[in-house]
């Protein structure tokens, strides 16, 4: 089975812009979670989707949003980018929310 | 308060030495899951093991072994005869059913194996 794929792998944006990141889960996996990883804050949970519904949301401002499509693919959007949004954004998928999460390679976002 | 604590920020060992990575968790849930992930320099988190709260049996997989002790809320990870390829950041994580199985990650332990 193909693993979790994330596109793009690298992204450079400027402050104030918005960005959309994409995640394709492992085939058959219906749960998708997003994490932000930075050297200072470590791995922080953003949100989780299961069957197109957001189940959990981390402590991030409303500029961070996401959605899941009927084929389980997920996107996350960050509007009005700030310098502090520079991070590695990781997507993980699992068959259902109680199962092991398998991670993609991440999207490295740099905000200038 | 941190739900998962990995007190060791960085560890360096010489190749072939054994090394133990500590993980202490905090939960009031009776049903929960514990995980270890490895993050090599490439950045992708690689799943290593999953343990549920009802299974305290230790596990061995090749050079890797895990010691789960509910009495001390610890889930430690030992690498025997370490190799250079083991150099990575290792994360311990907790998933609780009463929080919808949201994952809580520790801050990670960076392991460097010196040849």
């Amino acid at each position: 089975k193909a693993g979790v794929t994330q596109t793009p792998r690298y992204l450079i944006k400027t402050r104030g812009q918005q960005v959309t990141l994409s995640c394709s889960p492992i085939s058959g996996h219906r749960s998708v979670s997003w994490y932000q990883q930075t050297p200072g804050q470590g791995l922080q949970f953003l949100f989780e989707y299961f069957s197109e519904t957001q189940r959990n949301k981390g402590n991030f401002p409303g500029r961070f949003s996401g959605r899941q499509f009927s084929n389980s693919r997920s996107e996350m959007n960050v509007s009005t980018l700030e310098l502090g949004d520079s991070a590695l954004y990781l997507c993980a998928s699992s068959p259902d929310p109680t199962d092991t999460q398998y991670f993609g390679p991440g999207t490295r976002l740099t905000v200038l | 308060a941190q739900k998962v604590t990995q007190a060791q920020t960085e560890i360096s060992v010489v190749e072939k030495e054994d090394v133990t990575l500590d993980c202490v968790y905090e939960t009031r849930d009776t049903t929960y899951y514990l995980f270890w992930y490895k993050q090599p320099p490439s950045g992708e988190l690689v799943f290593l093991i999953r343990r549920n709260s009802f299974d305290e049996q230790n596990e061995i997989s090749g050079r890797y072994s895990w010691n789960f002790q509910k009495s001390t809320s610890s889930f430690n990870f030992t690498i025997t005869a370490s190799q250079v390829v083991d150099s990575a950041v290792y994360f311990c994580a907790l998933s609780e059913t009463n929080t919808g199985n949201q994952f809580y990650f520790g801050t990670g332990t960076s392991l460097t194996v010196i040849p």
Side-chain angles (χ1 to χ4, degrees), chain B residues 46-106:
Chain B
V46 177
F47 165 71
L48 295 177
I49 190 170
R50 175 188 193 229
R51 257 290 174 265
N52 74 53
S53 50
F54 299 108
D55 183 2
E56 280 194 78
Q57 202 168 11
N58 290 333
E59 174 136 350
I60 298 175
S61 176
R63 296 184 297 107
Y64 295 170
S65 62
W66 290 269
N67 184 347
F68 176 25
Q69 291 195 330
K70 287 177 78 169
S71 60
T72 55
S73 296
S74 65
F75 186 43
N76 296 338
F77 172 31
T78 297
I79 302 174
T80 304
S82 59
Q83 300 176 1
V84 172
V85 293
D86 296 328
S87 296
V89 180
Y90 291 86
F91 290 93
C92 180
L94 165 72
S95 167
E96 300 170 308
T97 53
N98 72 358
T99 56
N101 296 99
Q102 178 180 321
F103 269 52
Y104 299 94
F105 281 88

Side-chain angles (χ1 to χ4, degrees), chain A residues 4 9 35 37 42-43 45 48 55-58 88 90 97-105, chain B residues 33 35 37 39 42-47 50 91 95 97 99-107:
Chain A
V4 178
R9 293 292 312 279
Y35 296 85
Q37 186 177 27
L43 270 162
F45 171 74
E48 180 204 353
R55 289 185 71 244
N56 283 308
K57 189 176 193 309
L88 179 66
L90 292 162
T98 65
D99 225 315
T100 299
Q101 293 188 4
Y102 295 90
F103 284 80
Chain B
Y33 301 90
F35 302 81
Y37 287 84
Q39 187 176 40
S42 61
E44 185 168 342
L45 270 86
V46 177
F47 165 71
R50 175 188 193 229
F91 290 93
S95 167
T97 53
T99 56
N101 296 99
Q102 178 180 321
F103 269 52
Y104 299 94
F105 281 88
T107 51

